[in-house]
């Protein structure tokens, strides 16, 4: 029987200074001490990665970055590379979040370069995809997702794909309090798994974790996690508070 370990990931976005991040990670660690068989990830801002890694090293909580640049080093002012993230204690990188696509010019092409640099470094990429409200209204959801996956994973080898995580985050559900319905989520997740199967075969499709993101809260997490193709959650707002994030992790 197929089994994918659920992954509950907290995207802290541009919240928390170093002290606040260390406090939240410390509290969370205590609250999830009973958890087994769920992978837990927090992604603080770059500035807090190294200090938070001191708190979570060798614990159940993994560390992720919210973005990456594809070169290893060089004259790229303001950017952060895979080796730097590894040395700061990261295991995961969130790539192509809709806020980066919307406000910072991220495209499917730059996403592709970031995915490749991330997986070849040994870090685990979390590729975010999702349609806007207008695209859903115009019945373009599946063509948008198809393009984001095809272009985002272009020329990726089987091995590079191996550890990849996908996060489906409908843009209209992010930070709005309006989560997608279980039917909408399952329909898209099954579609995404089918795409992976067509590209990389059945085994990898069954092994790939597909997270849902967009207004996940303690109140709606269990019905989402009960869906057959939902393997975890990417949580923004509700991950900032250790109590509510712990409730989500205890789905
Ligand atoms: P939200 O954000 O949980 O606040 O809707 C999700 C995300 O942006 O990853």
């Amino acid at each position: 029987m197929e089994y994918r370990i659920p992954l509950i990931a907290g995207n802290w976005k541009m919240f928390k200074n170093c002290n606040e991040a260390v406090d939240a990670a410390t509290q969370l660690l205590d609250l999830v001490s009973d958890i087994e068989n769920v992978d837990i990830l927090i992604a603080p801002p770059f500035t807090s990665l190294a200090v938070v890694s001191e708190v979570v090293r060798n614990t159940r909580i993994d560390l992720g970055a919210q973005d990456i640049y594809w070169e290893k080093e060089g004259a790229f002012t303001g950017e952060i590379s895979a080796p730097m993230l590894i040395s700061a204690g990261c295991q995961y990188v969130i790539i192509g979040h809709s806020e980066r696509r919307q406000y910072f010019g991220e495209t499917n092409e730059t996403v592709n370069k970031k995915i490749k640099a991330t997986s070849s470094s040994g870090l685990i990429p979390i590729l975010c995809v999702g349609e806007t409200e207008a695209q859903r209204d115009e019945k373009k959801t599946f063509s948008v997702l198809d393009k984001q996956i095809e272009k985002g994973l272009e020329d990726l080898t089987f091995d590079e794909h191996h550890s990849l995580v996908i996060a489906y985050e409908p843009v209209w559900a992010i930070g709005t309090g309006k989560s997608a319905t279980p039917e909408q989520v399952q329909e898209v997740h099954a579609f995404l798994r089918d795409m992976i199967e067509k590209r990389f075969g059945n085994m990898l499709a069954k092994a790939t974790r597909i997270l849902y993101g967009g207004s996940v809260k303690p109140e709606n997490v269990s019905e989402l996690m009960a869906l057959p193709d939902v393997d975890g959650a990417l949580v923004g707002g509700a991950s900032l508070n250790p109590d509510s994030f712990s409730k989500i992790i205890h789905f």
Side-chain angles (χ1 to χ4, degrees):
M1 202 187 121
E2 70 193 77
Y3 182 67
R4 298 178 289 269
I5 298 174
L7 170 62
I8 306 289
N11 171 11
W12 288 357
K13 307 193 179 184
M14 200 176 74
F15 291 99
K16 300 191 191 294
N17 63 29
C18 291
N19 291 337
E20 291 162 347
V22 164
D23 282 352
T26 308
Q27 283 178 46
L28 183 67
L29 199 54
D30 189 42
L31 291 165
V32 299
S33 59
D34 60 329
I35 286 286
E36 282 169 30
N37 295 323
V38 177
D39 288 344
I40 304 166
L41 165 68
I42 49 178
F46 286 132
T47 45
S48 298
L49 287 173
V51 284
V52 170
S53 100
E54 297 296 321
V55 177
V56 299
R57 181 176 301 146
N58 299 325
T59 70
R60 292 214 53 85
I61 302 179
D62 284 329
L63 193 65
Q66 299 173 19
D67 193 18
I68 189 170
Y69 189 62
W70 53 84
E71 297 289 347
K72 286 197 175 70
E73 61 179 10
F76 302 106
T77 303
E79 294 299 321
I80 308 277
S81 71
M84 291 169 183
L85 294 178
I86 291 168
S87 81
C90 287
Q91 292 86 30
Y92 289 83
V93 185
I94 297 170
I95 296 174
H97 189 280
S98 67
E99 285 151 15
R100 298 227 52 94
R101 295 178 192 254
Q102 200 177 340
Y103 306 129
F104 303 102
E106 188 88 273
T107 64
N108 289 327
E109 289 68 32
T110 56
V111 164
N112 181 248
K113 290 183 180 178
K114 292 178 179 185
I115 296 270
K116 281 190 193 154
T118 299
S119 31
S120 60
S121 75
L123 289 162
I124 302 174
I126 302 180
L127 167 62
C128 300
V129 296
E131 80 287 3
T132 61
E133 185 152 40
Q135 289 165 337
R136 180 164 277 269
D137 290 346
E138 291 163 24
K139 310 240 174 305
K140 289 190 183 144
T141 299
F142 294 104
S143 62
V144 167
L145 294 170
D146 186 85
K147 196 159 168 205
Q148 288 174 337
I149 295 279
E150 280 301 328
K151 295 260 176 221
L153 301 184
E154 199 163 75
D155 297 330
L156 213 70
T157 64
F158 184 93
D159 282 344
E160 284 172 331
H161 177 94
H162 204 69
S163 62
L164 179 89
V165 176
I166 295 174
Y168 169 53
E169 300 204 298
V171 179
W172 47 271
I174 295 178
T176 57
K178 189 166 103 184
S179 165
T181 67
E183 292 72 25
Q184 288 170 326
V185 175
Q186 175 54 30
E187 185 186 30
V188 167
H189 281 226
F191 170 83
L192 294 172
R193 200 175 303 287
D194 203 47
M195 280 198 75
I196 301 298
E197 179 165 354
K198 288 198 182 102
R199 287 175 61 100
F200 296 108
N202 183 267
M203 250 178 54
L204 207 49
K206 280 193 165 153
T208 301
R209 292 189 287 189
I210 307 178
L211 317 182
Y212 168 76
S215 299
V216 176
K217 322 175 250 266
E219 297 76 37
N220 62 9
V221 66
S222 43
E223 68 172 351
L224 292 162
M225 290 303 293
L227 299 168
D229 285 300
V230 173
D231 309 309
L234 182 52
V235 188
S239 74
L240 293 171
N241 177 304
D243 279 320
S244 68
F245 193 43
S246 159
K247 285 190 183 125
I248 292 172
I249 294 163
H250 285 88
F251 65 88

